[in-house]
Amino acid sequence: MHAYTAPLRLRLNGDALMSNWRWLAAMSGGAACGAAIKANGYGLGAAEVMRRLMQAGCRDFFVSNWGEAAAVEPLLEDGVSLSVLHGVRDEDMAQALGSRARPVLCTPGQIARWRAAGGGACDVMIDTGMNRLGLDWRGDVAAAVEGLEIVTLLSHLASADEEVGFNATQLERFTVLRSQISVQRYSLANSAGICLGGDYHFDLTRPGLALYGGIPRDAAAGHIRPVVQPQAQIVQRRLLLAGDSIGYNTSFTAQRDHEVAILNLGYADGYLRGFSGRGAAIVNGAKLPVLGRVSMDLLAVDVSAQPDVAEGDWIDIAYDLGEASAASGLSPYELLTGLGARYDRVWD
Ligand SMILES: *Cc1c(COP(=O)(O)O)cnc(C)c1O
């Protein structure tokens, strides 16, 4: 039996991941700094992310659902907490009652379900204006959560990455709720919210994006390090003569002769068609533009200026989250969480 190695991989920088968490923890001041590891650790691999962040000192993790919780629960060290952001459905109850993870109860129905089962420790999400998940801040929240064994009361900012008055509005609503409902800890800020300053930190922050190299606000630039570098192997090198076209729908036609490398990477790997004619690979610091349309499993880059690049060589894909986002129209969140299952995930 040979271990299969894929023709595409993510080089993942564990030092950068831990350094990003340490910076976010320092920026969180007196608040504990947790980590959102939902969506398979934003595409990097939740278990590997969690192991490294626990080593860095992180003690609070957030996933979306109980499938994600089951995947990392066996790794939980003593004193480390795991919260499930979407709460509990009927279908989750058997698992939830036997789990160390806590549901973040979001609806009156979830609260009733948890109470009826004598569920024990839980978290509660309050909606302070995003109108996505949580108990409506305008309701009698104190009465709704009466008798629950709440560890953390949470709310979530809609526009923390923007300079808008709505941040202060949500902060004020959450601050009022805090004075009315007594729990162990209060938590409001995601990555961008951490950069909004001490008023937003409360007892626990919940960064996701910035851990993985995304710059949520200008204040993080120069401090947050890239973590993810996609690489693909060259399947074939070929000559494109002036007048030839390349790829589906012949969207690129050569005006001169080109040398082209066909790479083992496509939209099925999260490198979506928005990169067609706009993305790039990088060799020796030089940018090699993507020519024509990205296919499901393949794409073409111009290697005319790279005579030494050959079949079987590994090539870096330009994936600076800011630049790749501008090129493709995808958000940094989509660029990370879309990274597919075919990559080998290799931690440095
Ligand atoms: C995803 C998520 C986070 C992390 O947000 P980032 O913008 O990635 O830092 C924090 N809190 C909640 C409730 C979330 O759903």
Side-chain angles (χ1 to χ4, degrees):
M1 266 282 285
H2 293 279
Y4 172 73
T5 57
L8 65 171
R9 64 192 178 203
L10 300 177
R11 299 298 296 262
L12 299 164
N13 187 331
D15 284 344
L17 174 74
M18 291 196 285
S19 142
N20 291 343
W21 182 82
R22 286 192 201 98
W23 185 77
L24 292 158
M27 285 291 287
S28 297
C33 183
I37 57 166
K38 59 199 184 184
N40 196 27
Y42 285 46
L44 280 65
E48 292 297 308
V49 165
M50 187 188 214
R51 281 203 312 111
R52 284 169 176 79
L53 293 182
M54 283 192 299
Q55 198 185 322
C58 183
R59 290 290 171 270
D60 297 275
F61 293 89
F62 297 87
V63 293
S64 285
N65 64 42
W66 291 91
E68 294 180 347
V72 294
E73 190 175 343
L75 301 174
L76 283 181
E77 294 170 0
D78 286 347
V80 175
S81 98
L82 177 64
S83 297
V84 180
L85 289 163
H86 295 191
V88 271
R89 307 168 301 164
D90 275 334
E91 296 91 321
D92 301 319
M93 283 303 286
Q95 182 190 338
L97 290 169
S99 170
R100 279 183 56 191
R102 294 189 302 275
V104 181
L105 303 176
C106 298
T107 72
Q110 291 187 357
I111 290 173
R113 184 175 297 128
W114 196 245
R115 269 210 192 96
C122 61
D123 297 335
V124 169
M125 174 68 77
I126 313 292
D127 189 282
T128 51
M130 188 175 185
N131 281 299
R132 191 178 66 171
L133 276 187
L135 303 175
D136 192 320
W137 65 281
R138 289 165 294 213
D140 189 345
V141 177
V145 303
E146 179 82 54
L148 288 176
E149 200 183 309
I150 302 174
V151 178
T152 309
L153 193 74
L154 298 83
S155 190
H156 191 52
L157 296 165
S159 306
D161 55 348
E162 290 181 289
E163 216 52 65
V164 291
F166 198 54
N167 292 320
T169 301
Q170 287 193 275
L171 174 62
E172 192 185 313
R173 291 171 183 171
F174 192 61
T175 303
V176 170
L177 285 158
R178 177 172 177 252
S179 70
Q180 297 168 344
I181 301 159
S182 174
V183 302
Q184 285 179 36
R185 302 188 303 182
Y186 302 84
S187 176
L188 179 63
N190 62 347
S191 300
I194 291 171
C195 301
L196 290 177
D199 289 351
Y200 288 80
H201 297 161
F202 295 92
D203 305 301
L204 170 66
T205 60
R206 312 185 304 267
L209 181 71
L211 293 170
Y212 311 111
I215 309 291
R217 291 182 65 98
D218 290 347
H223 301 285
I224 292 298
R225 293 163 56 188
V227 180
V228 183
Q229 176 59 65
Q231 298 179 323
Q233 233 173 344
I234 297 176
V235 191
Q236 184 172 27
R237 181 175 172 126
R238 61 189 310 127
L239 177 63
L240 201 62
L241 297 174
D244 282 355
S245 61
I246 190 164
Y248 282 119
N249 310 111
T250 65
S251 68
F252 176 83
T253 300
Q255 304 301 307
R256 55 176 172 82
D257 295 357
H258 289 266
E259 291 280 337
V260 173
I262 308 298
L263 304 185
N264 259 301
L265 178 76
Y267 60 75
D269 306 301
Y271 198 78
L272 300 191
R273 274 174 38 161
F275 283 107
S276 301
R278 310 188 59 120
I282 300 181
V283 171
N284 302 323
K287 275 202 168 174
L288 316 179
V290 170
L291 300 181
R293 255 190 201 150
V294 175
S295 299
M296 186 184 297
D297 317 301
L298 297 165
L299 60 83
V301 297
D302 190 343
V303 290
S304 302
Q306 303 293 331
D308 298 334
V309 161
E311 184 175 324
D313 285 358
W314 285 91
I315 303 278
D316 284 354
I317 305 300
Y319 220 66
D320 171 274
L321 292 175
E323 288 173 21
S325 174
S328 65
L330 299 169
S331 72
Y333 295 88
E334 293 166 292
L335 290 173
L336 291 168
T337 60
L339 293 166
R342 292 197 290 196
Y343 297 91
D344 284 340
R345 285 164 167 79
V346 182
W347 289 86
D348 293 336

